[in-house]
Amino acid sequence: MNMRIVVVGGVAAGMSAATRARRMNEQASIIVLERGQYVSFANCGLPYYLGGTIQSEDKLLVTTPAMLRKRFNIDARTRHEVTRIDRSAKTVSGVNLATGEAFTLPYDKLILAPGAAPVVPPIANIDASNVFLLRSMEDTLLVKRWMEENSPAHATIIGAGFIGLEMAENLRHRRMDVTLVEKAPHVLPQLDGGLAPYIEKELRRHEVQLITGSGLAALHAGERGVSCVELEDGQKIPTQMVLLSIGVRPNVKLAQEAGLRIGASGAIAVDEFQRTSDPDIYAAGDAAEVIHAVTGKPVRIPLAGPANRNGRIAGEHAASGSSPKSGSVPGTAIVAVFGLSAAVTGLGESAARAAGFDADAAYVHPLHHAGYYPGALQMHLKLIYDRRDGRVLGAQAVGAHGVDKRIDAVATLIHFKGTIDDLAELDLAYAPQFGSAKDPLHMAAFVAQNQRRGITRAVSPGPVGDDLLLDVRTPAEFAAGTLEGAINIPVDELRSRLGELDRNRDITLFCQVGLRGYVAQRILQQNGFRNVKNIKGGFLLAGHLMPVRQQKQPSPL
Ligand code: FAD
């Protein structure tokens, strides 16, 4: 009798598993059971379909049951919901949602890929007809149809994570007014505080009303559904539709009820071949744990990359009994927000400290390619590393161009457990249109090396105590706005004006981004000033974290 492989969930992880299983085992019977009406659709494209960039629904459908049958001999059954696993009988049972009929199917190997479900707060009116989620094709078509029928002028988006930000941009493309609400102190909570203001500024530049530091408290409904969103701080936002994007929870009910082990992260625990605590049952995708590439611990990282790769491993192992091991995951992610992109990999600075690393960070704000070549734009890059051994723990970047390749390079380095010294040595492709001979990544590595070797003493923006606060930028920059209490000696005059400074007083200095501050610090240190600190990221970073004396310009960003 041929092997029977049953897959629950027919999108990213499930369909990767099913097609890989077929390529490994031509004889197996492979059945995919999918609750929804579609298989293998592009979740990541849904916001862009709503915004109109992707115009046809068909473009979102990567494949269809008919094609799966024809090319892969896979029996993909849509509108089939699995409700129970009987591990001793090795069967799954459920309901055909189209006919209402119950079904039971035997399996030799079962692959669970049921994904995750959006978090829905238990508050009144949450199920009103104008409150939406965005997870499935069905959700998306519902929002699209409702918008076409009701032509709303205003939407409130709750949650400014990746999906919330993408939806804000896409609804603005539809010329709607958008209020974006985030409970955390800044948008994109995955991003450390120092970089988020660039994204917030970009949102405001595109007239998104942004509210941070306050979460959803209540939804007030009238005749036509929710008409007002009330926040925890009492603010009331009149609105015509609400979109919830406050995170996801892994779909583990089936696994839990079948007695499979659920990990501490809340997702299904799996081994390196994606096997659950029952060796005949595999799990992959948002419902399953992955091993974090930096901490080595099991975590949840609900992203398309790990879902596709680990689904493929599960499919191969289930169908053939062997496969490569699934790799660890640094959690590399990127989002576009109008003209900017924000990307992360590995751990942020505070997450790294919380995980027990002696974490420090280097900030640089270089141009994305050679400054003399037209079109160079500034990017903001933060590199997180361990002071003890120089291991790179993470990176975060915001910019108009070139953010993706820098973060991908650091993700690769993290995979190989590389250090800041490795990063400083990387031989990267360079011509003026693409980068600089000293790439932004090299610059970040150099700063990190200087900090770690004690060549520069860099401090995070914050109170300076009794230190003299010294602005080493030009008089014009100083006049335009500086940190409260700072005096000005431009770096190019410093050697001739050393006599104006007290060698016995500690000095905290800064420039615009940190580079001139570093030069000034070296001048002072080598002239007998013993305790000189350079503010990381310069005025560009400190200007939104420390008190500013503003003169001509309204914002340091
Ligand atoms: P899913 O793709 O959610 O598939 C699970 C399927 O299982 C669902 O279709 C569900 O109906 C089915 N199912 C569940 N329970 C049952 C059951 N009991 N019986 C039968 N079927 C069941 N990630 C990125 O990396 N980059 C992005 O840009 C990105 N953008 C995104 C944008 C949006 C709007 C969304 C919603 C997600 C985005 N993601 C992105 C996340 C990414 O889509 C997910 O990480 C990925 O789809 C997870 O794959 P999965 O197979 O585990 O789950």
Side-chain angles (χ1 to χ4, degrees):
M1 173 97 132
N2 293 336
M3 176 191 273
R4 289 163 305 195
I5 300 175
V6 174
V7 181
V8 180
V11 189
M15 211 42 86
S16 293
T19 50
R20 183 68 176 170
R22 171 56 73 224
R23 287 190 290 269
M24 293 295 115
N25 187 336
E26 183 60 17
Q27 274 69 46
S29 144
I30 303 176
I31 299 176
V32 176
L33 302 170
E34 166 55 53
R35 177 170 60 193
Q37 206 171 325
Y38 304 87
V39 288
S40 206
F41 62 90
N43 316 44
C44 312
L46 301 179
Y48 301 92
Y49 175 62
L50 289 177
T53 306
I54 298 172
Q55 295 202 332
S56 154
E57 183 186 320
D58 295 346
K59 294 264 184 221
L60 296 170
L61 302 176
V62 181
T63 189
T64 59
M67 186 164 166
L68 286 163
R69 165 68 77 193
K70 201 168 166 192
R71 181 162 303 167
F72 294 104
N73 189 23
I74 287 174
D75 180 0
R77 303 182 189 174
T78 56
R79 309 221 54 208
H80 277 61
E81 178 169 26
V82 176
T83 52
R84 184 163 180 269
I85 303 167
D86 183 336
R87 285 169 57 197
S88 49
K90 292 186 87 171
T91 59
V92 291
S93 26
V95 189
N96 177 339
L97 300 172
T99 62
E101 284 166 40
F103 66 82
T104 297
L105 284 174
Y107 67 81
D108 295 306
K109 301 285 177 188
L110 175 65
I111 301 175
L112 298 178
V119 172
V120 179
I123 59 175
N125 299 316
I126 198 79
D127 49 4
S129 61
N130 61 345
V131 178
F132 300 99
L133 302 166
L134 194 63
R135 178 78 200 180
S136 62
M137 272 302 279
E138 288 86 345
D139 293 338
T140 311
L141 297 176
L142 190 69
V143 183
K144 182 107 191 305
R145 198 175 328 117
W146 189 90
M147 288 199 300
E148 280 163 3
E149 285 168 6
N150 294 277
S151 306
H154 180 271
T156 304
I157 300 171
I158 311 290
F162 290 98
I163 296 173
L165 290 175
E166 288 178 348
M167 279 313 301
E169 174 176 344
N170 278 289
L171 294 184
R172 288 296 296 139
H173 281 173
R174 293 180 68 103
R175 301 185 185 286
M176 287 173 64
D177 292 331
V178 175
T179 302
L180 179 60
V181 177
E182 172 56 56
K183 189 179 169 94
H186 59 76
V187 299
L188 214 51
Q190 296 87 340
L191 208 59
D192 285 346
L195 295 182
Y198 301 108
I199 297 294
E200 295 180 353
K201 190 182 177 211
E202 184 71 356
L203 288 163
R204 293 197 173 101
R205 197 165 76 83
H206 287 85
E207 295 173 6
V208 172
Q209 306 296 316
L210 182 61
I211 300 172
T212 52
S214 190
L216 172 65
L219 295 170
H220 301 288
E223 270 174 23
R224 306 190 61 193
V226 168
S227 56
C228 177
V229 173
E230 185 174 340
L231 303 186
E232 287 161 345
D233 65 4
Q235 283 189 77
K236 293 202 167 109
I237 307 160
T239 198
Q240 286 156 305
M241 66 181 277
V242 178
L243 211 124
L244 287 173
S245 56
I246 55 173
V248 292
R249 280 204 192 97
N251 284 329
V252 295
K253 189 162 171 267
L254 270 179
Q256 209 158 25
E257 288 175 357
L260 299 177
R261 193 162 83 76
I262 306 298
S265 74
I268 304 169
V270 289
D271 69 6
E272 66 270 37
F273 300 113
Q274 301 300 132
R275 286 178 299 203
T276 66
S277 50
D278 178 333
D280 289 325
I281 304 182
Y282 295 73
D286 288 0
E289 291 188 324
V290 295
I291 298 299
H292 196 281
V294 178
T295 64
K297 299 211 167 107
V299 288
R300 284 195 312 117
I301 298 187
L303 288 171
N308 278 276
R309 293 194 301 275
N310 293 347
R312 186 170 176 272
I313 301 272
E316 176 166 346
H317 203 276
S320 69
S322 69
S323 74
K325 292 180 181 176
S326 39
S328 60
V329 180
T332 310
I334 187 163
V335 63
V337 183
F338 299 99
L340 288 182
S341 311
V344 297
T345 188
L347 298 176
E349 191 177 354
S350 41
R353 291 221 181 91
F357 293 98
D358 185 7
D360 200 358
Y363 287 90
V364 288
H365 306 272
L367 297 172
H368 86 286
H369 65 47
Y372 61 81
Y373 191 84
L377 293 168
Q378 193 173 37
M379 65 189 295
H380 311 279
L381 180 61
K382 179 175 181 180
L383 180 69
I384 299 109
Y385 63 96
D386 193 327
R387 281 194 195 96
R388 289 171 296 203
D389 54 7
R391 181 179 167 197
V392 172
L393 305 174
Q396 314 200 330
V398 173
H401 294 293
V403 158
D404 52 347
K405 73 169 178 170
R406 271 70 188 211
I407 290 299
D408 281 348
V410 177
T412 310
L413 196 90
I414 289 176
H415 181 87
F416 292 106
K417 302 202 167 12
T419 64
I420 52 175
D421 297 335
D422 295 319
L423 187 59
E425 286 170 17
L426 284 188
D427 190 30
L428 302 171
Y430 161 63
Q433 307 89 322
F434 302 101
S436 294
K438 283 184 205 145
D439 189 82
L441 281 181
H442 294 131
M443 297 306 294
F446 296 156
V447 172
Q449 284 178 317
N450 284 338
Q451 290 177 182
R452 182 158 177 265
R453 294 171 63 202
I455 293 171
T456 180
R457 188 159 166 220
V459 291
S460 298
V464 300
D466 292 334
D467 286 16
L468 175 73
L469 192 57
L470 178 63
D471 183 342
V472 298
R473 298 174 303 159
T474 63
E477 288 173 292
F478 179 73
T482 189
L483 297 181
E484 197 64 59
I487 64 154
N488 179 227
I489 303 181
V491 63
D492 295 338
E493 297 174 17
L494 196 55
R495 283 190 185 85
S496 60
R497 293 176 61 182
L498 289 176
E500 294 175 32
L501 297 171
D502 177 358
R503 280 189 166 69
N504 295 318
R505 186 160 176 204
D506 294 353
I507 298 175
T508 296
L509 55 75
F510 63 94
C511 61
Q512 186 63 14
V513 299
L515 185 58
R516 283 174 288 169
Y518 161 56
V519 174
Q521 184 184 34
R522 293 299 296 158
I523 294 171
L524 291 175
Q525 277 174 340
Q526 294 182 75
N527 277 283
F529 292 80
R530 273 169 312 179
N531 197 359
V532 186
K533 291 158 261 177
N534 182 23
I535 297 183
K536 286 181 190 175
F539 186 63
L540 200 60
L541 180 66
H544 52 79
L545 299 172
M546 292 172 69
V548 169
R549 188 180 80 227
Q550 278 189 351
Q551 284 166 13
K552 288 183 198 145
Q553 289 178 355
S555 160
L557 283 176

